[in-house]
Amino acid sequence: MADHIEDTIEGSTAPVHNWIRELLNLNLEPKVFVLKRLEASENWREGEKREISRWFNWSEENLPFNHPTQIRKSVTVRIEHVDLLNVQHCN
């Protein structure tokens, strides 16, 4: 996340950096959390495609959503809005 914020401050105009800039202007900062834990034997690219598809099709009616912990040291994250940036639809 630190790299994304640094790129934002340095003037990158990638959609994710524009979004981060909007948050920073509101004195907010994005949170990073484990979305889905995969087993070592699983293909991370396929797992990423599944999660992108899941969240791409997520209904606003299901929000806010309390995303459960995925690893021992994580905490439940309350998701109030879903907006995928820099994503190409994966089939």
Side-chain angles (χ1 to χ4, degrees):
M1 181 52 59
D3 285 340
H4 280 310
I5 291 174
E6 183 178 317
D7 290 343
T8 298
I9 292 169
E10 290 177 355
S12 170
T13 58
V16 68
H17 298 135
N18 290 336
W19 173 71
I20 292 171
R21 189 172 296 106
E22 289 175 20
L23 292 177
L24 295 176
N25 287 336
L26 296 170
N27 293 319
L28 300 172
E29 199 170 299
K31 291 183 181 181
V32 175
F33 61 96
V34 176
L35 187 59
K36 179 72 174 174
R37 183 177 179 166
L38 300 176
E39 296 300 322
S41 60
E42 291 182 81
N43 181 309
W44 70 265
R45 285 183 178 91
E46 291 303 315
E48 183 177 57
K49 286 180 183 180
R50 280 193 307 273
E51 286 303 303
I52 288 171
S53 181
R54 173 183 177 212
W55 290 99
F56 189 82
N57 295 307
W58 194 263
S59 171
E60 291 286 326
E61 295 172 1
N62 296 325
L63 298 174
F65 174 72
N66 290 321
H67 184 55
T69 61
Q70 297 295 306
I71 60 175
R72 186 172 46 88
K73 293 183 178 181
S74 67
V75 297
T76 299
V77 175
R78 183 178 172 93
I79 298 173
E80 298 195 23
H81 180 74
V82 175
D83 205 2
L84 300 180
L85 304 171
N86 289 355
V87 172
Q88 297 177 0
H89 189 65
C90 303
N91 291 327

